[in-house]
Amino acid sequence: MAAEEICWKCGQLFSGHFCNACGAIQPPAANYFDFFELPPHLNLDAAELEKRFYALSRRLHPDVFARRSEREQRYSLDATAVLNDGYRALRDPINRAEYLLKESGFDIGEQKSNPVPPELLEEVFELNMALEDLRSGDSDAAPQLEDARTKFVAMREHIDRDLSAKFAAYDESESRELLTEIRGVLNRRRYVRNLVNEVEKALSGYVPN
Amino acid sequence: MFQIDFGESSETVVGIDLGTTNSLVAYMDAATPRVIRGEDGDNLVPSIVSLAPNGEIVVGNPARQMLIDRPDRTVYSAKRLMGRGIGDVQDELKLFPFRVAEGSEQVVRIQLGEKQFTPPEIAAFVLRQLKKNAEAALETQVTKAVITVPAYFNDAQRQATKDAGRIAGLEVLRLVNEPTAAALAYGLDKRKKGTVAVYDLGGGTFDISILKLHDGIFEVLATNGDTHLGGDDIDNLLIHIALEDIQSEWGEDLSIHGEAVQTLRRAVIAAKESLSFLPSAQMEFAFHGKTYHREITRELFDRLITGIVDRTLGPCRDCIRDAGVSVEQIDEVVLVGGSTRIPLVRSAVEKLFRAKPHTDLNPDEVVALGAAVQAGILSGTLEDNLLLDVTPLSLGIETMGGVVSKIIHRNSTIPASASESFTTSVDGQRNVLINVVQGERELVKDNRPLARFDLKDIDPLPAGMARIEVRFLIDANGILNVTARDARTGKEQSMDVRPMYGLTDEQVEAMYKASIDNAEADFHARQLAEVRVDADAILAATEKARQSDAYTDLPEEERQAIAKAVNELLLLYHGQDHLQIRSKIEELNAATMTLAENMMNAAVKGALKGTKL
Ligand SMILES: [Zn+2]
């Protein structure tokens, strides 16, 4: 939760988006969990998050501050940007986990630099051959790709179940080792997701005769 | 310094629909939005601007005739050029008779007679007219406005619209997306919860937006569109067909003849409009003694425009997908824009959304009404409504190899922001250049350049040691704001901003000043015109009186005084000083006082004589 700070306007101590004493809008908390006044957990109640998003929108949006001082307008703009950015990051479980990892000092790598997870090496090699065949017009590769898609989609679902369990465990323990594990699973998930996308793209471009 | 927190001024904020074909202004009358009519009683001000030969700017209905008489001094559909450079208007120039001035580059300049104007200046003339109409109707000064823009407008087009407001002397409190404004006009007190699609096909732009309504909050889920698709395209298609017919019938190519094409455009629009409620219409056109006539049936019309109507369906499907809803989940469809009167458009929308579209509000007025509602929200009179809109296009920065790295994705709720860290790649490097683009494509060259930011005076450090945090923020108007900070020192990082299109603040300011001068010139011209009307009246009356017996009965010196006053008035009549003319009118008035009295007495006597007793 946000620490107590001094109101820019009346000098009283306050915490939250507005000063308790004079009601003035304050510069926003940078951390999304703090901003929404939610615990930094990987499993969040989506309905509660949405409720807070709407309630805060009504109070913080620049439309509400159109007739206020320039300074208050600036805080409102900043706060609403954090509100919207935070809502986007926290409403999706994967984005939320990536955000929490980043905030906890983990470097979440770009997908381009991701190495092939070793256990997938063979699969990926075969898949690339089949993709190559299909692109060069060999329609025999299509059923093989359908199989690959089914397999990768199942793999992603398995990963999601694994993640969900790890999320719950983290929320219990807040252990850093678990975060390291989660980062590994997220990288693998991203890799598998890209494979699914690639196969789907290849199959949607292919029209069976 | 005093900081006034509650600027509770009661000044009316107007809502303006600055359209491709027509523009409107509306305001909140207590809790009801109302369109303000012009002096001519028309709710629409055609977005046509003409430079009269005497240098006066003519806007709206009076400029419509100039479109035919003086096409070289008149411009319409200038919204198509807003925020665009000469490089990306080539297609428009083939279809529209824009006279682009030589040397136009970052900002197109339109030639009207001997003068040149940028699209924001043209739009400002229209805005100024709307401002005037509002001030006349509300009997108060109007300086604040909400202006609508197509949802699919990019950063430069939005900035150009804001500039137009500034040039017209209006503080633009908010740019609102047209379909969202329409939903606002429709959604009031209508439905507590639900999903609504707004299909907006105007004169020159197409937008589709899907919104979630939630206890007075209008949350846009996704938007899509085409900023160069609209009723104008249908007109151009029909004109093209007629020109080909005429070519084969008369053996004459009229396409190079501005006046002929404009007259034809009128005929085509009339036929198109009657086809919305009749099974067939006549395209009739006369030029230099020859006539062209063709009947066009609804069936043929539908076949001709199918391609144009179909072009709206792809963006609709993409929008539904991006909104994360299924067609079945969309509870209502709202139609906006004059082109949605076309039956084929209505049936295409009905088929796609599997719902009968709403048409209870006038599709020409609904956007302006919504803008007025948003004005009400901003002035605090409507407390329960709130609009949450999205950015239509992704924002990206150039990375290695000309590849775009997206930092704010399209359909993100705005305001939205993203922060990126930049560093140097060479020891002692003082500058870092950031290239920002808008669009969905992978490569920089396939997107629209937005601006270049040159981070300068970076402390000389070994390569990779400097750390500049740049914050990209899209505000509630959909316009990008960028700030940068040296992460090591916490100090604000200086930078040069080079917008790729558009005007600098200094240019806008200069145009605003020039427009005030123009407005003064307009005012002066009007005063001159008025005083000359009065002069005409008194000169005519005096001339008539000089034929009467009362005049011959006047003493010689009085007759000479009248002649002198007439001559002096005639001498100054064509001068530019309306005050001088006014004083000569007064002198003539005084000189003819006795004459007028005598004539009056004579008339009364005459009348008495003729009365039967
Ligand atoms: Zn306070």
Side-chain angles (χ1 to χ4, degrees):
Chain A
M1 294 298 117
E4 289 215 320
E5 281 175 73
I6 290 170
C7 168
W8 59 270
K9 198 173 169 207
C10 73
Q12 301 279 330
L13 283 175
F14 78 96
S15 74
H17 303 286
F18 298 90
C19 171
N20 309 339
C22 73
I25 186 171
Q26 303 296 324
N31 181 281
Y32 298 153
F33 292 102
D34 290 345
F35 186 92
F36 279 92
E37 297 182 43
L38 287 166
H41 283 175
L42 291 171
N43 282 322
L44 280 184
D45 179 351
E48 177 61 28
L49 182 72
E50 186 187 64
K51 207 178 99 190
R52 288 181 190 214
F53 171 69
Y54 285 133
L56 287 170
S57 289
R58 283 189 200 276
R59 300 183 66 197
L60 297 170
H61 197 275
D63 284 3
V64 184
F65 290 84
R67 295 165 306 139
R68 298 299 191 98
S69 70
E70 210 173 290
R71 183 168 185 168
E72 287 167 292
Q73 289 192 21
R74 195 173 69 238
Y75 289 157
S76 148
L77 178 59
D78 286 342
T80 313
V82 177
L83 172 68
N84 293 333
D85 298 344
Y87 188 47
R88 267 192 298 283
L90 297 189
R91 70 200 293 191
D92 174 74
I94 301 298
N95 290 344
R96 187 193 310 145
E98 286 179 346
Y99 176 72
L100 196 138
L101 281 168
K102 211 177 95 208
E103 287 295 295
S104 311
F106 285 87
D107 180 20
I108 47 166
E110 280 289 306
Q111 48 216 56
K112 285 170 204 109
S113 58
N114 253 3
V116 184
E119 68 276 18
L120 289 176
L121 259 176
E122 199 174 326
E123 307 260 10
V124 171
F125 181 72
E126 277 176 25
L127 177 71
N128 282 338
M129 299 269 282
L131 284 172
E132 204 49 52
D133 288 349
L134 190 74
R135 282 190 199 114
S136 59
D138 181 359
S139 56
D140 291 349
Q144 195 188 337
L145 283 177
E146 299 274 6
D147 289 350
R149 172 167 61 183
T150 314
K151 197 186 306 173
F152 290 130
V153 168
M155 206 178 277
R156 194 181 57 192
E157 281 162 5
H158 177 79
I159 292 172
D160 283 350
R161 278 193 299 277
D162 183 22
L163 269 180
S164 163
K166 285 193 164 62
F167 283 0
Y170 171 80
D171 290 348
E172 276 293 305
S173 65
E174 300 197 358
S175 121
R176 207 170 160 82
E177 287 83 75
L178 264 172
L179 280 188
T180 314
E181 277 180 41
I182 287 169
R183 179 177 63 159
V185 181
L186 281 177
N187 282 342
R188 204 149 63 91
R189 186 187 188 277
R190 197 181 297 135
Y191 195 86
V192 172
R193 186 199 61 196
N194 287 347
L195 289 179
V196 173
N197 288 348
E198 214 167 307
V199 174
E200 278 178 351
K201 213 163 84 188
L203 284 172
S204 68
Y206 159 76
V207 186
N209 25 340
Chain B
M1 271 277 284
F2 268 129
Q3 184 100 70
I4 300 162
D5 281 353
F6 293 87
E8 297 283 350
S9 70
S10 58
E11 192 190 326
T12 309
V13 184
V14 294
I16 291 177
D17 172 5
L18 183 60
T20 310
T21 320
N22 295 302
S23 298
L24 297 88
V25 57
Y27 78 111
M28 286 304 278
D29 181 6
T32 313
R34 286 191 206 291
V35 170
I36 296 169
R37 290 171 186 276
E39 273 179 18
D40 53 6
D42 199 342
N43 58 344
L44 307 171
V45 171
S47 307
I48 308 172
V49 172
S50 185
L51 180 66
N54 69 358
E56 211 181 323
I57 291 287
V58 183
V59 179
N61 282 318
R64 200 192 272 279
Q65 186 56 40
M66 302 285 283
L67 205 53
I68 290 169
D69 298 342
R70 296 307 301 263
D72 60 317
R73 307 184 72 92
T74 310
V75 62
Y76 71 99
S77 286
K79 186 175 174 180
R80 287 179 171 252
L81 303 180
M82 288 288 264
R84 307 180 84 209
I86 189 70
D88 47 14
V89 296
Q90 293 307 317
D91 288 349
E92 311 292 320
L93 298 184
K94 280 181 211 138
L95 294 167
F96 293 89
F98 292 125
R99 276 168 199 77
V100 170
E102 296 280 326
S104 297
E105 273 171 34
Q106 283 203 346
V107 178
V108 173
R109 280 173 200 281
I110 300 162
Q111 192 81 43
L112 292 189
E114 61 283 354
K115 287 196 183 170
Q116 297 181 359
F117 299 97
T118 60
E121 287 173 287
I122 300 289
F125 289 130
V126 177
L127 290 174
R128 208 173 259 288
Q129 181 65 45
L130 296 170
K131 179 176 186 275
K132 220 162 82 185
N133 291 354
E135 287 174 339
L138 305 176
E139 293 177 339
T140 174
Q141 205 188 12
V142 172
T143 60
K144 294 187 168 89
V146 168
I147 302 181
T148 60
V149 290
Y152 220 55
F153 252 19
N154 65 31
D155 188 273
Q157 291 168 308
R158 286 167 193 271
Q159 190 61 59
T161 307
K162 227 179 151 191
D163 292 345
R166 175 78 193 111
I167 297 167
L170 286 170
E171 186 191 343
V172 182
L173 295 188
R174 177 77 77 246
L175 297 177
V176 184
N177 293 331
E178 288 160 10
T180 324
L184 218 45
Y186 261 102
L188 280 180
D189 321 306
K190 282 224 165 176
R191 140 186 300 278
K192 279 270 164 223
K193 281 185 167 57
T195 307
V196 177
V198 184
Y199 178 102
D200 179 356
L201 188 60
T205 58
F206 169 65
D207 281 328
I208 173 78
S209 288
I210 295 176
L211 296 93
K212 185 169 143 191
L213 305 189
H214 185 95
D215 292 327
I217 292 186
F218 292 69
E219 183 187 8
V220 179
L221 298 176
T223 193
N224 212 304
D226 186 335
T227 52
H228 297 98
L229 178 61
D232 283 352
D233 295 289
I234 294 174
D235 303 345
N236 286 335
L237 187 76
L238 295 178
I239 289 169
H240 185 73
I241 290 169
L243 284 173
E244 284 196 341
D245 281 358
I246 290 168
Q247 166 101 46
S248 65
E249 280 177 28
W250 305 358
E252 217 175 314
D253 179 16
L254 291 185
S255 66
I256 41 156
H257 206 303
E259 191 190 328
V261 174
Q262 286 315 324
T263 314
L264 197 52
R265 184 174 292 274
R266 269 196 177 184
V268 152
I269 292 171
K272 176 182 81 172
E273 287 176 356
S274 41
L275 278 168
S276 286
F277 48 91
L278 295 174
S280 80
Q282 315 296 324
M283 287 205 288
E284 275 162 351
F285 168 71
F287 189 70
H288 289 180
K290 291 183 189 165
T291 55
Y292 163 74
H293 175 261
R294 177 171 175 163
E295 181 176 34
I296 179 161
T297 61
R298 168 90 58 81
E299 199 194 343
L300 173 66
F301 179 68
D302 286 355
R303 231 174 29 236
L304 289 171
I305 65 167
T306 297
I308 293 171
V309 177
D310 282 354
R311 274 173 64 198
T312 67
L313 300 181
C316 288
R317 292 192 194 97
D318 289 349
C319 189
I320 296 169
R321 186 200 59 215
D322 293 345
V325 298
S326 64
V327 171
E328 292 74 24
Q329 283 172 288
I330 296 171
D331 302 300
E332 294 182 62
V333 182
V334 168
L335 293 184
V336 186
S339 304
T340 59
R341 290 201 176 89
I342 298 170
L344 185 73
V345 172
R346 292 196 172 181
S347 63
V349 173
E350 205 174 320
K351 212 166 110 195
L352 180 69
F353 289 97
R354 293 173 220 161
K356 195 142 191 76
H358 268 283
T359 52
D360 359 335
L361 292 180
N362 179 343
D364 290 327
E365 291 189 346
V366 58
V367 169
L369 294 174
V373 173
Q374 177 66 18
I377 294 173
L378 293 175
S379 12
T381 54
L382 290 169
E383 288 189 331
D384 297 331
N385 291 110
L386 182 65
L387 228 180
L388 304 179
D389 220 316
V390 300
T391 179
L393 299 160
S394 297
L395 188 79
I397 49 178
E398 177 168 359
T399 61
M400 299 257 269
V403 176
V404 177
S405 165
K406 282 184 191 166
I407 53 172
I408 299 176
H409 289 261
R410 74 186 153 128
N411 292 324
S412 294
T413 306
I414 52 173
S417 73
S419 289
E420 290 286 318
S421 258
F422 294 86
T423 188
T424 50
S425 52
V426 180
D427 289 349
Q429 187 178 332
R430 305 295 307 269
N431 290 56
V432 170
L433 201 64
I434 308 168
N435 191 14
V436 180
V437 300
Q438 241 184 343
E440 310 311 318
R441 306 283 298 275
E442 295 275 320
L443 297 178
V444 168
K445 65 176 178 60
D446 297 324
N447 290 287
R448 186 180 172 80
L450 198 157
R452 276 177 201 278
F453 297 90
D454 187 5
L455 307 176
K456 57 180 191 182
D457 305 330
I458 298 170
D459 287 344
L461 291 168
M465 291 300 285
R467 226 183 100 218
I468 315 293
E469 287 281 337
V470 182
R471 182 158 182 254
F472 302 87
L473 186 147
I474 299 177
D475 67 17
N477 300 314
I479 293 177
L480 177 66
N481 301 257
V482 175
T483 48
R485 186 175 66 86
D486 186 326
R488 279 182 329 115
T489 62
K491 273 194 298 194
E492 193 180 315
Q493 169 68 46
S494 61
M495 62 181 164
D496 284 336
V497 185
R498 266 179 293 156
M500 301 311 282
Y501 296 92
L503 305 164
T504 63
D505 286 349
E506 291 75 28
Q507 284 173 313
V508 171
E509 209 49 39
M511 287 171 181
Y512 168 58
K513 294 220 173 80
S515 82
I516 296 177
D517 295 345
N518 277 340
E520 276 167 6
D522 292 352
F523 183 64
H524 179 236
R526 200 167 58 236
Q527 281 179 316
L528 258 184
E530 280 168 8
V531 82
R532 281 179 191 155
V533 167
D534 292 348
D536 288 341
I538 196 165
L539 284 169
T542 310
E543 195 48 44
K544 211 174 150 203
R546 279 164 117 174
Q547 319 296 327
S548 71
D549 294 343
Y551 180 75
T552 8
D553 292 346
L554 279 180
E556 173 66 18
E557 61 269 35
E558 286 223 24
R559 277 183 287 167
Q560 271 178 8
I562 292 174
K564 181 168 169 272
V566 167
N567 282 338
E568 282 179 359
L569 177 56
L570 284 173
L571 215 60
L572 286 168
Y573 182 87
H574 288 287
Q576 294 300 308
D577 191 338
H578 69 94
L579 290 175
Q580 265 190 324
I581 301 174
R582 180 67 67 199
S583 79
K584 288 298 159 196
I585 290 176
E586 300 302 331
E587 281 176 27
L588 179 56
N589 204 23
T592 53
M593 197 71 88
T594 322
L595 173 60
E597 272 172 23
N598 290 351
M599 282 176 76
M600 185 78 83
N601 290 340
V604 171
K605 275 180 200 149
L608 287 175
K609 232 184 268 169
T611 311
K612 282 182 190 150
L613 290 170

